[in-house]
Amino acid sequence: PDERYDGLFDKNVIIMHPKEEHMKTDFLYPSMTVKRFKTYVIDYVDVVPELDQVEWIYYLDIDILFGAPFMDLVQKLGEENNIGGNDDMVSKFYFFKHLAYQYVAQGGFMIAHRETAKKCLELWRREMDSHLEEEHDQVSLNLI
């Protein structure tokens, strides 16, 4: 957490900045540097003691906007997709259909189970690192 934001937001809002070593810069498209950062979301949540009890992480890219109450959407998605349900999945990691049909998943809105999704995030990051010429993180996401 960055102290320069203290007092600006509700206590439930935590703004995190990337560590320099997490900002790989040898991508052909500079925007991929920031897109790669989201694959560390669980690592960053793990260092904030106030978040120790958080089981599910809802990640949104900064450019995603909602025109209705967010919690209504979260509840509806949870019910429709059995998020948090007991199933046989090894990793609980959810994405939603991208509006542009060329990609299966929208990488800018994900729900990750804190204890089981870390390996998927690592695989996604490894694919991004192996495809430095790609412009979209969804390309690597589709490969895992």
Side-chain angles (χ1 to χ4, degrees), residues 81-135:
N81 296 284
N82 194 31
I83 295 174
N86 293 326
D87 54 32
D88 295 331
M89 292 173 49
V90 174
S91 182
K92 295 180 181 178
F93 194 42
Y94 300 90
F95 290 89
F96 301 92
K97 189 173 182 179
H98 197 285
L99 294 177
Y101 295 111
Q102 67 188 107
Y103 301 113
V104 175
Q106 163 55 271
F109 179 22
M110 65 180 164
I111 302 173
H113 185 260
R114 185 178 188 159
E115 297 299 320
T116 64
K118 196 169 190 173
K119 183 65 177 173
C120 288
L121 288 165
E122 291 169 358
L123 289 170
W124 187 14
R125 182 170 54 249
R126 188 178 318 148
E127 287 298 330
M128 284 187 213
D129 291 348
S130 298
H131 297 89
L132 300 173
E133 73 289 350
E134 293 295 343
E135 184 177 9

Coordinates of all heavy atoms in Angstrom, one line a residue, residues 81-135:
N81 N -22.5 -18.8 -12.0 CA -21.3 -19.6 -12.3 C -20.8 -20.5 -11.1 O -19.8 -21.0 -11.2 CB -20.2 -18.6 -12.7 CG -20.5 -17.8 -13.9 OD1 -20.4 -18.4 -15.0 ND2 -20.9 -16.6 -13.8
N82 N -21.7 -20.6 -10.1 CA -21.3 -21.5 -9.0 C -20.0 -21.0 -8.3 O -19.2 -21.9 -7.9 CB -21.3 -22.9 -9.4 CG -21.3 -23.8 -8.1 OD1 -21.9 -23.5 -7.1 ND2 -20.7 -25.0 -8.3
I83 N -19.7 -19.8 -8.3 CA -18.5 -19.3 -7.7 C -18.5 -19.5 -6.2 O -19.5 -19.1 -5.6 CB -18.2 -17.8 -8.1 CG1 -18.0 -17.7 -9.6 CG2 -17.0 -17.2 -7.3 CD1 -17.8 -16.3 -10.1
G84 N -17.5 -20.1 -5.7 CA -17.5 -20.5 -4.3 C -18.2 -21.8 -4.0 O -18.1 -22.3 -2.9
G85 N -18.8 -22.4 -5.0 CA -19.4 -23.7 -4.8 C -18.4 -24.8 -4.6 O -17.3 -24.7 -4.9
N86 N -18.9 -25.9 -4.0 CA -18.0 -27.1 -3.9 C -18.0 -27.9 -5.1 O -19.0 -28.4 -5.6 CB -18.5 -27.9 -2.7 CG -18.4 -27.2 -1.4 OD1 -17.5 -26.5 -1.2 ND2 -19.3 -27.4 -0.5
D87 N -16.9 -27.9 -5.8 CA -16.8 -28.7 -7.0 C -15.4 -29.4 -7.0 O -14.6 -29.2 -6.1 CB -17.0 -27.9 -8.2 CG -16.1 -26.7 -8.3 OD1 -15.0 -26.7 -7.8 OD2 -16.6 -25.6 -8.8
D88 N -15.1 -30.1 -8.0 CA -13.8 -30.9 -8.1 C -12.7 -30.1 -8.7 O -11.7 -30.7 -9.0 CB -14.1 -32.2 -8.8 CG -15.0 -33.1 -8.0 OD1 -15.1 -33.0 -6.8 OD2 -15.7 -33.9 -8.7
M89 N -12.9 -28.8 -9.0 CA -11.8 -28.1 -9.7 C -10.6 -28.0 -8.8 O -10.7 -27.7 -7.6 CB -12.3 -26.7 -10.0 CG -13.4 -26.7 -11.1 SD -14.1 -25.1 -11.3 CE -12.7 -24.0 -11.5
V90 N -9.4 -28.2 -9.4 CA -8.2 -28.0 -8.7 C -7.9 -26.5 -8.4 O -7.5 -26.1 -7.4 CB -7.0 -28.6 -9.4 CG1 -5.7 -28.4 -8.8 CG2 -7.2 -30.1 -9.6
S91 N -8.1 -25.7 -9.4 CA -7.9 -24.3 -9.3 C -9.2 -23.6 -9.6 O -9.9 -23.8 -10.6 CB -6.8 -23.8 -10.3 OG -6.6 -22.5 -10.2
K92 N -9.6 -22.6 -8.8 CA -10.8 -21.8 -9.0 C -10.4 -20.4 -9.5 O -9.9 -19.6 -8.7 CB -11.6 -21.8 -7.7 CG -12.1 -23.1 -7.3 CD -12.9 -23.1 -6.0 CE -13.3 -24.5 -5.6 NZ -14.1 -24.5 -4.4
F93 N -10.6 -20.2 -10.7 CA -10.1 -19.1 -11.4 C -11.1 -18.8 -12.5 O -11.3 -19.6 -13.4 CB -8.7 -19.4 -12.0 CG -7.9 -18.3 -12.5 CD1 -7.8 -17.1 -11.8 CD2 -7.1 -18.4 -13.6 CE1 -7.0 -16.1 -12.2 CE2 -6.3 -17.4 -14.1 CZ -6.2 -16.2 -13.4
Y94 N -11.8 -17.6 -12.4 CA -12.9 -17.4 -13.3 C -12.7 -16.1 -14.2 O -12.2 -15.1 -13.7 CB -14.2 -17.1 -12.5 CG -14.6 -18.3 -11.7 CD1 -14.2 -18.4 -10.4 CD2 -15.5 -19.3 -12.2 CE1 -14.5 -19.5 -9.6 CE2 -15.8 -20.4 -11.4 CZ -15.4 -20.5 -10.1 OH -15.7 -21.6 -9.4
F95 N -13.0 -16.2 -15.5 CA -13.0 -15.1 -16.4 C -14.4 -15.1 -17.1 O -15.2 -16.0 -17.0 CB -11.9 -15.3 -17.5 CG -10.6 -15.2 -16.9 CD1 -9.9 -16.3 -16.4 CD2 -9.9 -14.0 -16.9 CE1 -8.6 -16.2 -15.9 CE2 -8.6 -13.8 -16.4 CZ -8.0 -14.9 -15.9
F96 N -14.6 -14.0 -17.8 CA -15.9 -13.8 -18.4 C -15.7 -13.6 -19.9 O -14.6 -13.1 -20.3 CB -16.7 -12.7 -17.7 CG -16.9 -13.1 -16.3 CD1 -16.0 -12.7 -15.3 CD2 -17.9 -14.0 -15.9 CE1 -16.1 -13.1 -14.0 CE2 -18.1 -14.4 -14.6 CZ -17.2 -13.9 -13.7
K97 N -16.7 -13.9 -20.7 CA -16.6 -13.8 -22.2 C -16.2 -12.3 -22.6 O -16.8 -11.4 -22.1 CB -17.9 -14.2 -22.8 CG -17.8 -14.4 -24.3 CD -19.1 -15.0 -24.8 CE -19.0 -15.1 -26.3 NZ -20.2 -15.7 -26.8
H98 N -15.3 -12.2 -23.5 CA -14.9 -11.0 -24.0 C -15.9 -10.5 -25.0 O -16.4 -11.3 -25.8 CB -13.5 -11.1 -24.7 CG -12.8 -9.9 -24.9 ND1 -13.1 -9.0 -25.9 CD2 -11.7 -9.3 -24.3 CE1 -12.3 -8.0 -25.9 NE2 -11.5 -8.1 -24.9
L99 N -16.1 -9.2 -25.1 CA -17.1 -8.7 -26.0 C -16.6 -8.8 -27.5 O -17.4 -8.9 -28.4 CB -17.5 -7.3 -25.7 CG -18.2 -7.1 -24.4 CD1 -18.5 -5.6 -24.1 CD2 -19.5 -7.9 -24.4
A100 N -15.3 -8.7 -27.7 CA -14.8 -8.9 -29.0 C -14.5 -10.4 -29.2 O -13.9 -11.0 -28.4 CB -13.4 -8.1 -29.1
Y101 N -15.1 -11.0 -30.1 CA -15.2 -12.4 -30.2 C -13.9 -13.1 -30.5 O -13.8 -14.3 -30.5 CB -16.3 -12.8 -31.3 CG -17.6 -12.4 -30.8 CD1 -18.3 -11.4 -31.5 CD2 -18.2 -13.0 -29.7 CE1 -19.5 -11.0 -31.1 CE2 -19.5 -12.6 -29.3 CZ -20.1 -11.6 -30.0 OH -21.4 -11.2 -29.6
Q102 N -12.8 -12.4 -30.8 CA -11.6 -13.1 -31.1 C -10.9 -13.7 -29.9 O -10.1 -14.6 -30.1 CB -10.6 -12.1 -31.8 CG -10.1 -11.0 -30.9 CD -9.3 -9.9 -31.7 OE1 -9.8 -8.8 -31.9 NE2 -8.2 -10.3 -32.1
Y103 N -11.3 -13.4 -28.7 CA -10.8 -14.0 -27.5 C -11.9 -14.7 -26.7 O -13.0 -14.2 -26.7 CB -10.1 -12.9 -26.7 CG -9.0 -12.2 -27.4 CD1 -9.1 -10.9 -27.7 CD2 -7.8 -12.9 -27.8 CE1 -8.1 -10.2 -28.3 CE2 -6.8 -12.2 -28.4 CZ -6.9 -10.9 -28.7 OH -5.9 -10.3 -29.4
V104 N -11.5 -15.7 -26.1 CA -12.5 -16.5 -25.3 C -12.8 -15.7 -24.0 O -13.9 -15.6 -23.6 CB -12.0 -17.9 -25.0 CG1 -12.9 -18.6 -24.1 CG2 -11.8 -18.7 -26.3
A105 N -11.7 -15.3 -23.4 CA -11.9 -14.7 -22.0 C -11.5 -13.2 -22.0 O -10.7 -12.8 -22.8 CB -11.1 -15.4 -21.0
Q106 N -12.1 -12.5 -21.1 CA -11.8 -11.1 -20.9 C -10.8 -11.1 -19.7 O -11.1 -11.4 -18.6 CB -13.1 -10.3 -20.5 CG -12.9 -8.9 -19.8 CD -12.0 -8.0 -20.6 OE1 -10.8 -8.0 -20.5 NE2 -12.6 -7.2 -21.5
G107 N -9.6 -10.7 -20.0 CA -8.5 -10.7 -19.0 C -8.6 -9.6 -18.0 O -7.9 -9.6 -17.0
G108 N -9.4 -8.6 -18.3 CA -9.5 -7.4 -17.4 C -10.5 -7.6 -16.3 O -10.6 -6.7 -15.4
F109 N -11.2 -8.7 -16.2 CA -12.1 -8.9 -15.1 C -12.0 -10.4 -14.7 O -12.4 -11.3 -15.5 CB -13.6 -8.6 -15.5 CG -14.6 -8.8 -14.5 CD1 -14.3 -8.9 -13.1 CD2 -15.9 -9.0 -14.8 CE1 -15.3 -9.1 -12.2 CE2 -16.9 -9.2 -13.9 CZ -16.6 -9.2 -12.6
M110 N -11.4 -10.6 -13.6 CA -11.3 -12.0 -13.2 C -11.6 -12.2 -11.7 O -11.5 -11.2 -10.9 CB -9.8 -12.5 -13.5 CG -8.8 -11.8 -12.7 SD -7.1 -12.5 -13.1 CE -6.1 -11.2 -12.4
I111 N -11.9 -13.4 -11.4 CA -12.2 -13.8 -10.0 C -11.3 -14.9 -9.7 O -11.3 -15.9 -10.4 CB -13.7 -14.2 -9.8 CG1 -14.6 -13.0 -10.2 CG2 -13.9 -14.6 -8.3 CD1 -16.1 -13.4 -10.2
A112 N -10.4 -14.7 -8.7 CA -9.4 -15.8 -8.3 C -9.6 -16.2 -6.9 O -9.7 -15.4 -6.0 CB -8.0 -15.2 -8.5
H113 N -9.6 -17.5 -6.7 CA -9.6 -18.1 -5.4 C -8.2 -18.0 -4.8 O -7.2 -18.5 -5.5 CB -10.1 -19.5 -5.4 CG -10.2 -20.1 -4.0 ND1 -9.2 -20.9 -3.5 CD2 -11.2 -20.0 -3.1 CE1 -9.6 -21.3 -2.3 NE2 -10.8 -20.7 -2.0
R114 N -8.0 -17.3 -3.7 CA -6.7 -17.0 -3.2 C -5.8 -18.2 -3.0 O -4.6 -18.2 -3.2 CB -6.9 -16.3 -1.8 CG -5.6 -15.8 -1.3 CD -5.8 -15.1 0.0 NE -4.7 -14.4 0.5 CZ -4.7 -13.4 1.4 NH1 -5.9 -12.9 1.7 NH2 -3.6 -12.8 1.8
E115 N -6.4 -19.3 -2.5 CA -5.5 -20.5 -2.2 C -5.3 -21.4 -3.5 O -4.3 -22.2 -3.4 CB -6.2 -21.4 -1.2 CG -6.4 -20.6 0.2 CD -5.0 -20.2 0.8 OE1 -4.1 -21.0 0.7 OE2 -4.9 -19.1 1.3
T116 N -6.1 -21.3 -4.5 CA -5.9 -22.3 -5.6 C -5.5 -21.6 -6.9 O -5.1 -22.4 -7.8 CB -7.2 -23.1 -5.8 OG1 -8.3 -22.2 -6.2 CG2 -7.6 -23.8 -4.5
A117 N -5.7 -20.4 -7.1 CA -5.5 -19.8 -8.5 C -4.1 -19.3 -8.8 O -3.8 -19.0 -9.9 CB -6.5 -18.6 -8.6
K118 N -3.2 -19.3 -7.8 CA -1.9 -18.7 -8.0 C -1.1 -19.4 -9.1 O -0.4 -18.8 -9.9 CB -1.1 -18.8 -6.6 CG 0.1 -17.9 -6.6 CD 0.7 -17.8 -5.2 CE 1.7 -16.8 -5.2 NZ 2.2 -16.5 -3.8
K119 N -1.2 -20.7 -9.2 CA -0.5 -21.5 -10.2 C -1.0 -21.1 -11.6 O -0.2 -20.9 -12.5 CB -0.7 -23.0 -10.0 CG 0.1 -23.8 -11.0 CD 1.6 -23.7 -10.8 CE 2.3 -24.6 -11.7 NZ 3.8 -24.3 -11.7
C120 N -2.3 -20.8 -11.8 CA -2.8 -20.4 -13.1 C -2.2 -19.0 -13.4 O -1.9 -18.7 -14.6 CB -4.3 -20.3 -13.0 SG -5.1 -21.9 -13.0
L121 N -2.2 -18.1 -12.4 CA -1.6 -16.8 -12.7 C -0.1 -16.9 -13.1 O 0.3 -16.2 -14.0 CB -1.8 -15.9 -11.4 CG -3.2 -15.4 -11.1 CD1 -3.3 -14.9 -9.7 CD2 -3.7 -14.4 -12.1
E122 N 0.6 -17.8 -12.4 CA 2.0 -18.0 -12.8 C 2.1 -18.5 -14.2 O 3.0 -18.1 -15.0 CB 2.7 -18.9 -11.8 CG 2.8 -18.3 -10.4 CD 3.3 -19.3 -9.4 OE1 3.4 -20.6 -9.7 OE2 3.4 -18.9 -8.2
L123 N 1.3 -19.5 -14.6 CA 1.3 -20.0 -16.0 C 1.0 -18.9 -17.0 O 1.6 -18.8 -18.0 CB 0.3 -21.2 -16.1 CG 0.7 -22.4 -15.4 CD1 -0.5 -23.4 -15.4 CD2 1.9 -23.1 -16.0
W124 N 0.0 -18.1 -16.7 CA -0.4 -17.0 -17.5 C 0.8 -16.0 -17.7 O 1.1 -15.6 -18.9 CB -1.6 -16.3 -16.9 CG -2.3 -15.2 -17.8 CD1 -2.1 -15.0 -19.1 CD2 -3.2 -14.3 -17.4 NE1 -2.9 -14.0 -19.6 CE2 -3.6 -13.5 -18.5 CE3 -3.8 -14.0 -16.1 CZ2 -4.5 -12.5 -18.4 CZ3 -4.7 -13.0 -16.1 CH2 -5.1 -12.2 -17.2
R125 N 1.4 -15.7 -16.6 CA 2.6 -14.8 -16.7 C 3.7 -15.4 -17.6 O 4.4 -14.8 -18.4 CB 3.1 -14.5 -15.3 CG 4.2 -13.5 -15.3 CD 4.5 -13.0 -13.9 NE 4.8 -14.0 -12.9 CZ 3.9 -14.3 -11.9 NH1 2.8 -13.6 -11.7 NH2 4.2 -15.3 -11.0
R126 N 4.0 -16.7 -17.4 CA 5.0 -17.4 -18.1 C 4.7 -17.4 -19.6 O 5.6 -17.2 -20.4 CB 5.1 -18.9 -17.7 CG 6.3 -19.6 -18.3 CD 6.5 -21.0 -17.8 NE 6.3 -21.1 -16.4 CZ 5.8 -22.2 -15.8 NH1 5.4 -23.2 -16.5 NH2 5.6 -22.3 -14.5
E127 N 3.4 -17.5 -20.0 CA 3.0 -17.5 -21.4 C 3.2 -16.0 -21.9 O 3.7 -15.9 -23.1 CB 1.6 -17.9 -21.6 CG 1.4 -19.4 -21.5 CD 2.1 -20.2 -22.5 OE1 2.4 -19.7 -23.6 OE2 2.5 -21.3 -22.2
M128 N 2.9 -15.0 -21.1 CA 3.1 -13.6 -21.6 C 4.6 -13.4 -21.8 O 5.0 -12.8 -22.8 CB 2.7 -12.6 -20.5 CG 1.2 -12.4 -20.5 SD 0.8 -11.1 -19.3 CE -0.8 -11.6 -18.7
D129 N 5.5 -13.9 -20.9 CA 6.9 -13.8 -21.0 C 7.5 -14.5 -22.2 O 8.5 -14.2 -22.8 CB 7.6 -14.2 -19.8 CG 7.3 -13.3 -18.6 OD1 6.8 -12.2 -18.8 OD2 7.6 -13.8 -17.4
S130 N 6.8 -15.5 -22.7 CA 7.2 -16.3 -23.8 C 6.7 -15.8 -25.2 O 7.1 -16.2 -26.2 CB 6.7 -17.8 -23.7 OG 7.2 -18.4 -22.6
H131 N 5.8 -14.8 -25.1 CA 5.2 -14.2 -26.3 C 5.3 -12.7 -26.3 O 4.3 -12.0 -26.2 CB 3.7 -14.7 -26.5 CG 3.6 -16.2 -26.6 ND1 3.5 -17.0 -25.6 CD2 3.6 -16.9 -27.7 CE1 3.4 -18.2 -26.0 NE2 3.5 -18.2 -27.3
L132 N 6.5 -12.2 -26.3 CA 6.8 -10.8 -26.1 C 6.2 -9.9 -27.2 O 6.1 -8.7 -27.1 CB 8.3 -10.5 -26.0 CG 8.9 -11.2 -24.8 CD1 10.5 -11.1 -24.8 CD2 8.4 -10.7 -23.5
E133 N 5.9 -10.5 -28.4 CA 5.4 -9.8 -29.5 C 3.9 -9.6 -29.5 O 3.4 -8.8 -30.3 CB 5.8 -10.5 -30.8 CG 5.0 -11.8 -31.1 CD 5.3 -13.0 -30.2 OE1 6.3 -13.0 -29.4 OE2 4.6 -14.0 -30.3
E134 N 3.2 -10.2 -28.6 CA 1.7 -10.1 -28.6 C 1.3 -8.8 -28.0 O 1.9 -8.2 -27.1 CB 1.1 -11.2 -27.8 CG 1.3 -12.6 -28.4 CD 0.6 -12.8 -29.7 OE1 -0.3 -12.0 -30.0 OE2 1.0 -13.7 -30.5
E135 N 0.1 -8.3 -28.4 CA -0.4 -7.0 -28.0 C -1.5 -7.2 -26.9 O -1.8 -6.3 -26.1 CB -1.0 -6.3 -29.2 CG -1.6 -4.9 -28.8 CD -2.1 -4.2 -30.0 OE1 -2.3 -4.7 -31.1 OE2 -2.4 -3.0 -29.9

